[in-house]
Amino acid sequence: MTVVGPFGLSVRDQALEADTLSGLAAVEEGLIEATKSDVPFITGAAQHLVRAGGKRFRPLLVMLGAQFGDPHAPGVVPSAVVVELTHLATLYHDDVMDEADVRRGVPSANANWDNSVAVLTGDFLFSRASHILADLGPEAVRIQAEAFERLVTGQILETAGPAEGHDAIDHYLEVIAGKTGSLIAVAGRFGAMMSGADERTVSVLTQYGERVGVAFQLADDVLDIASDEHESGKTPGTDLREGIATLPVLYVRARAARPEATREDRELCALLDGDLSDDARLADALARLRAHPALEQARRTTVRYADEAREMLAPLPDNAAKEALAALCTAVVDRAG
């Protein structure tokens, strides 16, 4: 059993291990090449997050999806580069919107330079992704465009908040499906499609990708509260400090709104809805959340989405790639403790 990639997936099959490692190495080269510019400053800014590393979850999913066809087909690696470039571009924009100071254990682009540089660098990455995508054919362009529309729609819905009468937790899960699930679904879809897999396999891996993508984001929600900085790559409680209501917070609010709510529920809800810019208040909120049933409830929801993703794999032929995709669901859940 070998650990493959920064995400830490265990792969038991030597041929799959070799293909996956080779593919991920080619993606890294592709990312470096795609972020080069004739202007050295742009190169430095564009490669800032590439060189900071990352889990490369999306390229890994492309590589595993490609195992159901020809994993060495010419479109596999470029499609993985496209998906990761798109993801990286959104991180530059997210950090500006969230006023984040740290990303992947290094200063965010907006902290390192300023907001304008971060936004424009994200735009530069989008343009490079589009350039590569154009060589993959009109169907790939259409798929990426639809996913990007969902991604942006998810971001807008998050900013706007739930409509009157719309359950806040349902709204949040809808946001996550758009912001995160849509692009991870494309990773599974591109892997299968670019390798020449049949339509049923492409459909299965698309649906799998969306569900495991939601689980992946929900695990991050739990990590923001439950982990230390070494595990998550960012300061614990970052989302709390920025007033971002992730799933554990929404569960606390839902519990506090019930007639049978405890004093602890109401006090924690009031604390979370207050000003958490003070370090002591933030530490108090984190400590209380870590001991509150809402955190375990969020973990259970994460497990549910990962289980649904695993169940989606049933129609696929039994092989090492299917086993690895199932193990990926477990790895996502393990991140949430």
Side-chain angles (χ1 to χ4, degrees):
M1 189 187 310
T2 304
V3 173
V4 172
F7 190 75
L9 175 68
S10 295
V11 174
R12 300 173 184 272
D13 182 88
Q14 289 186 345
L16 175 60
E17 175 194 340
D19 281 346
T20 305
L21 289 173
S22 174
L24 290 174
V27 170
E28 288 301 310
E29 292 178 7
L31 289 171
I32 293 297
E33 189 61 33
T35 49
K36 287 179 180 177
S37 167
D38 293 337
V39 180
F41 179 82
I42 295 176
T43 301
Q47 292 184 354
H48 180 65
L49 289 185
V50 173
R51 295 189 182 279
K55 292 173 283 291
R56 301 294 188 254
F57 182 70
R58 293 153 188 82
L60 176 60
L61 187 50
V62 174
M63 296 304 127
L64 294 176
Q67 290 291 321
F68 295 90
D70 176 8
H72 307 293
V76 172
V77 169
S79 70
V81 172
V82 165
V83 174
E84 188 67 6
L85 280 175
T86 303
H87 170 59
L88 288 169
T90 66
L91 297 184
Y92 281 83
H93 288 181
D94 282 351
D95 285 346
V96 171
M97 294 181 65
D98 299 339
E99 299 180 353
D101 293 325
V102 177
R103 169 70 70 175
R104 295 181 173 176
V106 300
S108 61
N110 47 301
N112 212 33
W113 293 285
D114 58 33
N115 284 348
S116 295
V117 169
V119 170
L120 291 170
T121 302
D123 293 344
F124 176 79
L125 296 183
F126 282 131
S127 70
R128 287 299 174 90
S130 298
H131 183 79
I132 298 169
L133 193 65
D135 292 332
L136 298 178
E139 178 68 3
V141 172
R142 182 187 64 79
I143 290 168
Q144 177 78 350
E146 290 176 352
F148 192 57
E149 179 182 346
R150 286 191 61 204
L151 191 157
V152 173
T153 299
Q155 184 66 68
I156 292 171
L157 287 174
E158 180 181 57
T159 303
E164 186 176 353
H166 191 175
D167 181 78
I169 293 171
D170 290 343
H171 172 82
Y172 182 71
L173 293 173
E174 181 182 351
V175 165
I176 295 305
K179 277 187 62 179
T180 304
S182 62
L183 191 58
I184 294 179
V186 168
R189 187 172 185 174
F190 275 172
M193 188 176 85
M194 296 299 168
S195 71
D198 61 70
E199 290 185 11
R200 185 183 72 161
T201 299
V202 172
S203 176
V204 165
L205 289 174
T206 302
Q207 295 175 68
Y208 165 88
E210 175 135 350
R211 282 163 180 78
V212 81
V214 172
F216 184 81
Q217 179 57 55
L218 295 181
D220 270 359
D221 288 358
V222 173
L223 274 171
D224 183 61
I225 294 164
S227 72
D228 58 30
E229 187 167 354
H230 174 73
E231 291 175 298
S232 63
K234 64 179 183 180
T235 305
T238 296
D239 291 335
L240 292 181
R241 191 190 291 276
E242 294 168 358
I244 299 171
T246 56
L247 192 62
V249 173
L250 293 174
Y251 279 142
V252 170
R253 288 179 180 171
R255 292 173 69 96
R258 295 173 185 167
E260 66 272 20
T262 65
R263 184 178 69 178
E264 179 189 34
D265 293 334
R266 295 192 179 99
E267 287 178 352
L268 178 54
C269 186
L271 178 61
L272 293 172
D273 289 342
D275 181 8
L276 294 178
S277 60
D278 178 75
D279 288 345
R281 286 176 60 84
L282 179 64
D284 185 25
L286 280 171
R288 293 191 187 201
L289 261 176
R290 287 167 179 167
H292 195 275
L295 187 61
E296 182 56 36
Q297 191 175 4
R299 283 194 179 101
R300 290 197 301 269
T301 302
T302 304
V303 171
R304 175 166 60 84
Y305 274 94
D307 287 346
E308 289 177 0
R310 189 182 293 104
E311 291 166 5
M312 284 289 167
L313 299 172
L316 298 181
D318 292 330
N319 58 25
K322 181 178 179 178
E323 181 182 342
L325 288 167
L328 197 57
C329 298
T330 303
V332 166
V333 169
D334 286 348
R335 293 175 65 239

